[in-house]
Amino acid sequence: MKILAIDDQQLVLLPMQKRLKELGYNVKIETDAVSAISLYNSFNPDLVIVDINMPGVSGLEIVKYIRNSKKNTTPIMVLSGNTQDDVITAGFELGINDYMKKPLSLNEICARVKRLIGAPEVKNTTIKSDVMIQQRCVGVVIPCYNEEERLLSQEFIDYIDKNSGYHLCFVNDGSKDRTLEVLKELQKGREDFITVYDCDKNGGKAEAVRLGMLHMAKKEDLDYIGFLDADLSTDLADFDDLVKTIEHSDFKIVSGSRIARMGANITKESARKIISLTINFIIRKILKMDFKDTQCGAKIFHKDVIGIAFNKQFVTQWIFDVEIFKRMSNHFGLAQAKSMLCEQPLKRWIHADGSKLSMKDSVKIVGQLAQIAWVYRGKKSKANSVVVKELNVAY
């Protein structure tokens, strides 16, 4: 039994293809609608699964081609995040057989496939999947410097295996230990879901994150891109909560916050906490925003502001997060920038060993804050705006 699945986001198609193959189906996938039409003619599938919102040729156009141009009765299932009543109605009027709304589980997709075209006679197909097919696709940049001992490889693997729509980009920031080898081993066999970006020299976390974000912005199938610390001091499930917030809102940036609140597991050394509170007070004065915690290493961005936030190198190595917010403020104006930024408390945050902030480092940060205040002193660069527009068009 042959199935053709069409969606412009490969991260949606891959787990579905894998599961349907496990059940004995012959599955081919295609991310380009025009190529999908050609493949349909040569493959002659018993079932077509198609998304609606695709660039260029929409899913409904493919349905029209099969039903009107080819006069074919091949069963067609729509798998889409589009929940508009008129679109769904138009689909059924054109002759689709089923309409599945993202997000939904792979188990439900497989059950609907079996209902339409039956199931191949394959042994050991009773195992269920706990994977959800999401509406959005997310890139996550993880900067790594000498993380050979601390990198929680299995946690990353388990997460992408169970959560579709995620692509992880590990940036090796010129590590002097075996970090690059560990990352390559982690990537092996998962190249569609894990990228390893290698920097020859150590440029610091700010540059590692910046390069990773710009690299991931070139991937057309990603809707949002964020960054996360390699030690997973912010839980992956918490990061997914940030993604859900930006997905269902008009915010352009959602930033995690390590604010202690009822029901949250936030651990932090008392001395470190006092230093952080002092620095955060200075940051709020510079930003003119009531941020409780700018420095949390978990943030998610709408793809269309990546150019604004990351097109130029940062002035500082440690507090580039402050520069990101200043860039947004300078570009859009303070009032609009405030409406585009969201600070969301985390449910869990653990201060990991090996990343302690010394008193000497704290003095340096205060100096870097003064540097930021001077460099970003309310001037909006027209040249920068032109560069940003060009970057956004390219992405």
Side-chain angles (χ1 to χ4, degrees), residues 12-184:
V12 170
L13 293 173
L14 289 172
M16 184 165 58
Q17 180 187 39
K18 178 183 177 182
R19 181 58 183 157
L20 288 171
K21 280 188 172 182
E22 289 174 348
L23 296 176
Y25 296 99
N26 179 5
V27 186
K28 291 190 176 183
I29 60 175
E30 181 56 64
T31 57
D32 179 73
V34 175
S35 299
I37 290 174
S38 176
L39 181 57
Y40 171 83
N41 291 325
S42 60
F43 187 46
N44 294 316
D46 299 298
L47 172 68
V48 173
I49 302 175
V50 63
D51 184 25
I52 291 293
N53 298 329
M54 296 187 291
V57 179
S58 74
L60 289 182
E61 291 298 320
I62 293 177
V63 176
K64 286 180 184 178
Y65 174 79
I66 295 172
R67 290 290 184 258
N68 299 337
S69 299
K70 299 294 291 184
K71 306 295 183 183
N72 203 309
T73 59
T74 304
I76 301 174
M77 300 172 64
V78 170
L79 174 61
S80 177
N82 194 321
T83 59
Q84 297 177 9
D85 182 67
D86 58 336
V87 173
I88 298 173
T89 301
F92 279 106
E93 288 178 347
L94 285 172
I96 66 171
N97 300 85
D98 200 354
Y99 198 106
M100 301 178 287
K101 300 176 185 178
K102 302 174 187 173
L104 78 166
S105 71
L106 268 180
N107 291 330
E108 182 177 344
I109 293 174
C110 294
R112 289 172 182 253
V113 168
K114 291 177 183 178
R115 180 181 60 84
L116 271 180
I117 63 172
E121 293 183 6
V122 179
K123 295 180 180 180
N124 302 323
T125 60
T126 57
I127 300 175
K128 296 292 183 179
S129 169
D130 56 359
V131 175
M132 293 291 294
I133 297 297
Q134 300 292 343
Q135 181 178 346
R136 76 297 187 273
C137 291
V138 183
V140 187
V141 174
I142 302 118
C144 301
Y145 178 68
N146 292 347
E147 298 287 351
E148 175 188 350
E149 300 296 333
R150 295 200 311 167
L151 192 68
L152 302 174
S153 300
Q154 194 58 48
E155 291 193 28
F156 286 111
I157 292 172
D158 290 344
Y159 196 77
I160 61 172
D161 283 348
K162 294 179 181 179
N163 296 270
S164 73
Y166 271 94
H167 189 117
L168 308 182
C169 175
F170 293 91
V171 180
N172 177 46
D173 186 23
S175 298
K176 295 178 174 59
D177 62 0
R178 294 182 59 258
T179 294
L180 182 58
E181 295 174 45
V182 172
L183 293 177
K184 290 291 187 180

Side-chain angles (χ1 to χ4, degrees), residues 217-218 220 388-395:
K218 297 174 184 177
E220 296 181 355
V388 167
K389 288 180 181 179
E390 291 177 350
L391 280 167
N392 286 336
V393 168
Y395 297 154

